[in-house]
Amino acid sequence: MAAAAVSTAATEGPLGAQLSELQRRIAQLVAPGAFASRWAEELEAVVRRAEAVTLRDLDAVLYLLAQDAQRNLDAYSSRHALYCGVVVRLACVELGWPEAEATLLMRAALTMNLGMAALQDELNFRERTPTVEQRLAVQQHPQASVALLREAGVDDALWLEVVARHHEELPAEAVPGELEPARRLATLLHRADVFTAKLSARQARGAMPAVEAARSTCLGADGRPDELGAALLKALGIYPPGSYVKLASGEIAVVKRRGSKATEPLVLSLIGRDGRPLNPPLARHTGQPEHAVRSAAWPPAARLLAGSGLR
């Protein structure tokens, strides 16, 4: 698919349908035995389309991806790949890294789990501890992903090395900006991978509130974000679109858009102070003291959302 055609297709139709189609195409590309002769070309078309869709309305895209991650357990591998790809690309822009690196990181995010895509989907529904064989497959999946990329005809050395190293942890004293390119990019990908995974639901647990996910992913031992953590926080916001917050009034609200201030997002109150759904949801200005954000909140139960009009 030509770049112009990708861009045009990505600007037509509802965003939700566009994202669902991207997830479907990613699922096809990471499925076992998917490596046809045009695999790399098809992946590149998906990357370009994902970039174009994101440019349509960033807050709406982040909202839809977060809501899907919190409420849908199916096809985890492809959903997580897209969510991670969007987030890591945005963080790359915040860091001022070259456009070519931002696009490479999107490619790496979509392909980093090739070696365990089916297992990843299976584990998302598992409530018990993975078996020894499953844990070994998880540990070895970066190299398995690289082998599959080579089989598919990928020969970009930087792309392959980023995928191979995307689970590596940096020493506390390391300065990301001073690292060699592959390790610098792989470290950012690892952070985005972990962060978005914490924002996603599993059969065994719900999605983690965004502030808790950020605290465990973006902050160091001193309680302050390092360079990469700060970029992720700037990309998503302290209260990312699609996450939930508790207001000073006692209401539970969903964040629709990031605000002009990090602590004042635009929200819709879904659950009243009495614990009952608000139908329709009510827009609240979090800059007003009575509607100020007091804390992050766990996603409300599905039965409460059902009465709120939120879909």
Side-chain angles (χ1 to χ4, degrees), residues 265-278:
L266 305 179
V267 306
L268 286 176
S269 281
L270 305 176
I271 310 298
R273 68 185 69 193
D274 60 0
R276 297 181 179 180
L278 298 172

Side-chain angles (χ1 to χ4, degrees), residues 232-302:
L232 286 168
L233 289 174
K234 288 179 182 177
L236 284 174
I238 296 175
Y239 304 109
S243 64
Y244 295 87
V245 292
K246 186 171 185 177
L247 307 182
S249 63
E251 295 174 348
I252 301 297
V254 65
V255 177
K256 290 292 288 184
R257 294 184 177 275
R258 295 164 297 173
S260 56
K261 295 183 179 180
T263 56
E264 297 179 4
L266 305 179
V267 306
L268 286 176
S269 281
L270 305 176
I271 310 298
R273 68 185 69 193
D274 60 0
R276 297 181 179 180
L278 298 172
N279 195 8
L282 301 175
R284 299 301 193 194
H285 299 286
T286 56
Q288 299 174 349
E290 64 270 30
H291 300 308
V293 175
R294 283 290 174 258
S295 66
W298 290 91

